[in-house]
Amino acid sequence: MLSDLERLGLRRGNWTFLPVAPRRIEFAAAVRQRLLALRPARVAVELPREGRAPLLEALSKLPRISALFSRSMPGGGESGEEDRPGVYAVVEPGDALTEACRTALEMGAELTLIGSAAKALPQRRDLYPDSAALGSISYERYAELYLRQPPPPAPEGSGGWEAAARLARLDRGTDTAVVLRLASFAEMLPLLGAEFPPDEDETPRQVLRGAPVAPSSLGDITEDCPWLQERYEEWRASSQSEDSARMPDRRLWLNGLWNEAEENYRAVYGGELAPWQRRQTARFLNRLVRAGGLLAPSLFDLVAAARGVIDDNFAYELWRLGTSYSHQQIGAEDDALQLNAEDVFPDTRRLRLRQRYEREKRRLAPRAWKRRPGRAPELWAAQLGGDAICSYPPEDIVIEDYGRFLRQKAVTMLGEERSRVEPFSTSLLDGVDVRETIRRWHEGRIYVRETEKLTGEAGAVVVIFDEDRENRYSWLTTWLGEHSNESDMAFYSTPPFDNLVGPGIGRAEYGGFLMAMPPGRMADVWSDPDYDLAETKPERLLLAGIDYSLERHVVYVAARPPRARMRQIAGLLGRQILYIPLGALSPEKLRKIRVLHVLDSHERRRIASRYIW
C-alpha cells in the first residue's frame, strides 16, 4: 500500500519532497519537524544559488532578519524612476525555506541550493490557501488539496524548471529532502526524470549580496509580522524533536498581541475598551477575514479593525507592538538595508494612522472656566426648601428632542412594517427597492416597494427603562409643561433629594416616564382612579398616555411589548400602540436621558449650572 507521501508524489526513491507556502510560520514548523524526523544526508532548498555565501552568513546571524539583494533594480520609488535594491530572498525565522537551511546546518546535512535569481520577490505572484489551516488539517492534506487544483501557472514560469534542472544534476542515490515552493513543485512534477541540456556556464548570472534589514523596515517587508516571528523563535527554542504534533498557534499569539496592546493603550492614553467595542471589532474582523478568504487575521487586518471601531491610538499601539522585534540588533559596523513594501511584495495596501494626544493647554482651558464646587451634602440638606419643584431647562430640551425622535421613528417603523416589496411589472409604485434588487440580483429582476400611508400622527410617548418589580423607583410625580414647546410629564424615579448634588438640587434616575402634548392638561396620574386597573407602573403610564394623547398613535418604548389587554383598551378609545423595543435604541443615548435633576424652587435655576455636570 502506498503511503501518503508516495501517493502525492512527495516520495520518489531516496528523495522526499516538502513543498511549502513560503514565509509562513506554520510551514516553517512543519518543515523543521519533518527534517528532524527524516534526518536526510542532503537538503536541497529553492533559494538562489547566486547568493550562497551571503545566505550562509545571514543564517549564522539568525534570528536577526536579513535580505539577499542585487545592487539595484530600476522602477522603484514613488516616481517609478528611482533605483531600488532588487530583493530575492528574506532570511527570516518564520520562512520555511530559511528554516530548511537552518535545520540542515544544525543536523550536519549537505546544503544544496536549487533556486535561481531569475525573478525578484515583487515579480512573484504565487497564491496559497491560508496556512492557518495547518492548525486543523495535516501538512499532507494541505499539499494534496493544493495539488489537486493548483492556481493557473504564471506565463513566465514559477521556478519549477530551474529546480528540476538543478535536481537532475544531483546523485539520486543520496537520501535527500527537497524543500521548495508549492507553485514550483506543481510546475516541476511533470519534468522529473526529463533530460536537461548540460549547463555549460556554471558561473552565476549575477552575484547577490546580503545585509541586515533596518528595524524600521520589518513591518513593511515581513509576510508574518515580526511579533509572530519572535513568538515562532520562542516556539522553536522550546520544541523538542519528538514533539511532532505541536504546531504554532497563530490565533493565540495574535490574541496575546491584542491583550498587550490593550494594556499599553490603557497606560499611555488612559483609554479603556468598552464591551461593545470588543463585540464590534470581533464582527468586523470576522467579516474582514472571510472577505479575504482567510482563516486568521493578519496584522494589517487587526490594525484596520482597531482603527475602524476603536481609534487611531489603539491601532498605532497594535502596529508598534506587532512590528517590534527584539532580535534585530544592528551594530555600528552593519550596513542595514532600508526597504519598502514595494521592494518585496507585488501588491501593497496602505493605512494611515494619526496618533492623538490630549494637549495640556487645550485640556486645562475649559476646566478653568467652570470649577466644580466642593461637596457639602449636610449643608445642602439644611438649605432644602422652596415652594415648588421644577426641572433643569437644558435637560428639558434634550428630552423633548428625544421625544420627537421617538415619534418619528415609530411612524417610520410602522410604515416599513406595512410596506410590501414585489418584482417590477407595470408601475414603479413608491420607487425601486435597491436593497432587495441587489439581494436577488441573480434573478435578473428589479424589485419595487409600496409603502402604505399611515393615518394619524404619533402623540403621547411612554418610555420604560425598568418595570420596577422591586419598588426601587419610589418617587411618583406629575408635572406640567411651562410653555407651549414643553410636554406634560408623569414619571417614576429614584428619590432625587436622597442624592443632593448642590443646594436644593437633587439627582434622580428615571424608571419610566410619559410625555404628552399640548401642556397644561395632565392631572396627577398616580392618584387618578381611572387607571386603577393597571397592574404595574408602566401600565398606569401607558393608560394615561392613551387617555391624554390627542393623536391616534401612542409610542411605547420598553423591553417587553404591552399586554394584549392594553391594546384592546387603546382600540376601544380609538388609539393604537406603536411598540419600539428598548434594544433598538442607542444605549448611550438612553443612558444620558435617564438621568434628571430636580430643583426645589425656580430660584435654583440661577445656580444649577455650577453643580450639574
Side-chain angles (χ1 to χ4, degrees):
M1 180 178 291
L2 295 176
S3 66
D4 287 344
L5 294 177
E6 292 169 336
R7 182 170 54 83
L8 297 173
L10 301 180
R11 173 70 62 79
R12 300 203 174 200
N14 291 329
W15 288 10
T16 302
F17 293 90
L18 299 174
V20 298
R23 310 190 65 190
R24 306 290 286 184
I25 55 174
E26 291 86 356
F27 276 94
V31 163
R32 177 169 175 78
Q33 290 169 347
R34 277 152 182 78
L35 288 180
L36 290 176
L38 291 171
R39 296 282 174 180
R42 179 172 55 201
V43 177
V45 183
E46 190 194 10
L47 283 174
R49 59 191 177 90
E50 294 88 342
R52 183 180 181 86
L55 173 65
L56 293 177
E57 183 180 356
L59 290 172
S60 67
K61 302 290 185 182
L62 281 172
R64 191 177 74 174
I65 298 175
S66 306
L68 303 184
F69 64 100
S70 63
R71 188 175 301 275
S72 64
M73 185 173 179
E78 295 183 356
S79 62
E81 299 177 354
E82 181 184 350
D83 284 350
R84 298 287 305 166
V87 181
Y88 291 85
V90 177
V91 184
E92 53 191 338
D95 176 31
L97 301 178
T98 301
E99 183 59 68
C101 299
R102 197 177 181 186
T103 306
L105 295 178
E106 289 177 359
M107 294 187 306
E110 176 188 350
L111 176 62
T112 303
L113 303 182
I114 59 173
S116 69
K119 286 197 298 185
L121 288 181
Q123 297 168 338
R124 294 178 178 174
R125 296 180 178 273
D126 303 337
L127 297 176
Y128 301 100
D130 193 350
S131 61
L134 290 188
S136 53
I137 63 174
S138 67
Y139 162 77
E140 288 76 14
R141 177 63 175 161
Y142 183 102
E144 179 183 2
L145 293 174
Y146 179 90
L147 296 173
R148 185 181 295 174
Q149 193 171 6
E156 66 277 12
S158 300
W161 192 92
E162 291 86 351
R166 296 297 304 171
L167 289 176
R169 296 180 180 89
L170 299 182
D171 176 21
R172 292 185 175 275
T174 305
D175 194 11
T176 304
V178 183
V179 183
L180 71 174
R181 293 175 296 123
L182 271 162
S184 301
F185 181 69
E187 186 179 271
M188 187 186 69
L189 267 178
L191 301 174
L192 287 176
E195 296 292 333
F196 291 90
D199 192 354
E200 297 177 354
D201 183 12
E202 283 290 338
T203 305
R205 284 169 282 189
Q206 58 178 320
V207 177
L208 300 184
R209 301 168 59 189
V213 179
S216 59
S217 300
L218 293 182
D220 288 349
I221 67 160
T222 47
E223 182 85 28
D224 279 336
C225 65
W227 171 275
L228 290 177
Q229 305 249 9
E230 192 159 340
R231 301 290 86 73
Y232 174 79
E233 191 64 22
E234 295 169 0
W235 173 90
R236 189 179 188 277
S238 62
S239 295
Q240 302 298 322
S241 59
E242 62 272 13
D243 191 8
S244 59
R246 183 166 168 258
M247 289 290 289
D249 193 336
R250 177 184 296 269
R251 296 183 185 85
L252 180 65
W253 292 352
L254 289 177
N255 188 55
L257 168 64
W258 182 277
N259 291 335
E260 190 163 336
E262 193 173 333
E263 291 178 5
N264 288 359
Y265 180 65
R266 189 181 301 115
V268 176
Y269 304 100
E272 192 73 37
L273 299 194
W276 71 267
Q277 288 178 315
R278 300 176 195 276
R279 291 194 300 272
Q280 196 68 18
T281 306
R283 291 194 196 104
F284 190 106
L285 269 179
N286 184 34
R287 292 170 183 171
L288 200 61
V289 168
R290 288 170 60 186
L294 304 175
L295 298 176
S298 64
L299 176 63
F300 188 91
D301 295 334
L302 287 176
V303 172
R307 180 178 181 270
V309 178
I310 305 172
D311 60 19
D312 283 41
N313 289 343
F314 186 75
Y316 177 80
E317 201 58 34
L318 266 177
W319 172 258
R320 190 186 65 78
L321 279 176
T323 56
S324 60
Y325 189 65
S326 62
H327 301 298
Q328 200 69 9
Q329 304 296 330
I330 305 297
E333 69 283 359
D334 296 321
D335 187 13
L337 193 61
Q338 291 283 353
L339 295 174
N340 300 324
E342 291 80 5
D343 297 326
V344 175
F345 297 105
D347 301 308
T348 59
R349 295 178 292 174
R350 290 181 181 273
L351 187 66
R352 187 180 297 275
L353 300 177
R354 296 177 180 174
Q355 277 183 285
R356 291 179 171 83
Y357 290 100
E358 187 176 7
R359 290 178 294 168
E360 291 296 321
K361 293 178 182 177
R362 184 180 62 179
R363 189 189 67 185
L364 292 176
R367 295 181 182 178
W369 298 340
K370 183 179 178 181
R371 295 184 181 277
R372 184 187 291 272
R375 288 187 58 82
E378 295 179 358
L379 179 61
W380 295 340
Q383 299 174 10
L384 196 61
D387 300 327
I389 60 171
C390 63
S391 61
Y392 181 49
E395 292 179 347
D396 295 340
I397 296 173
V398 172
I399 204 164
E400 290 294 337
D401 287 344
Y402 200 66
R404 281 190 286 273
F405 161 74
L406 290 176
R407 292 186 186 98
Q408 182 62 40
K409 184 178 180 65
V411 172
T412 304
M413 288 178 63
L414 187 61
E416 291 177 352
E417 287 177 5
R418 294 185 177 182
S419 65
R420 63 187 179 88
V421 178
E422 61 182 43
F424 170 73
S425 57
T426 58
S427 171
L428 287 175
L429 301 179
D430 290 330
V432 176
D433 190 323
V434 178
R435 178 183 298 179
E436 191 67 16
T437 301
I438 293 176
R439 196 169 71 86
R440 302 193 182 192
W441 188 257
H442 60 282
E443 297 179 4
R445 295 191 293 182
I446 296 176
Y447 280 80
V448 294
R449 176 181 290 271
E450 183 176 22
T451 304
E452 183 180 340
K453 303 297 182 187
L454 292 180
T455 58
E457 300 291 333
V461 175
V462 180
V463 178
I464 305 301
F465 298 102
D466 192 324
E467 295 184 358
D468 197 21
R469 298 181 183 277
E470 299 177 355
N471 198 27
R472 174 170 173 254
Y473 302 91
S474 57
W475 207 61
L476 310 177
T477 305
T478 302
W479 61 25
L480 304 179
E482 299 181 52
H483 50 80
S484 60
N485 293 324
E486 192 172 296
S487 305
D488 290 343
M489 288 189 69
F491 59 88
Y492 58 98
S493 69
T494 55
F497 297 113
D498 287 354
N499 181 20
L500 290 173
V501 298
I505 304 171
R507 177 176 293 168
E509 181 181 291
Y510 284 121
F513 64 78
L514 158 68
M515 302 170 64
M517 293 279 279
R521 299 180 299 128
M522 192 177 290
D524 185 8
V525 169
W526 304 104
S527 60
D528 193 333
D530 290 348
Y531 313 134
D532 286 348
L533 59 92
E535 296 181 355
T536 61
K537 293 173 184 172
E539 286 191 355
R540 179 173 281 270
L541 290 179
L542 181 55
L543 288 174
I546 295 171
D547 201 9
Y548 282 101
S549 178
L550 298 183
E551 305 294 342
R552 173 177 171 77
H553 302 293
V554 176
V555 180
Y556 183 72
V557 180
R560 297 190 304 171
R563 287 192 298 152
R565 176 65 175 156
M566 295 293 108
R567 295 188 185 277
Q568 291 172 358
I569 294 173
L572 291 174
L573 297 176
R575 299 289 179 265
Q576 183 179 9
I577 300 173
L578 303 183
Y579 169 65
I580 300 177
L582 198 63
L585 302 174
S586 164
E588 185 67 18
K589 187 66 177 177
L590 291 175
R591 187 182 63 80
K592 288 181 178 177
I593 68 165
R594 192 171 181 178
V595 176
L596 79 156
H597 292 86
V598 180
L599 316 182
D600 68 346
S601 67
H602 285 81
E603 286 72 21
R604 299 295 188 192
R605 286 180 172 174
R606 292 186 293 108
I607 61 170
S609 61
R610 302 180 201 168
Y611 298 92
I612 297 177
W613 293 74

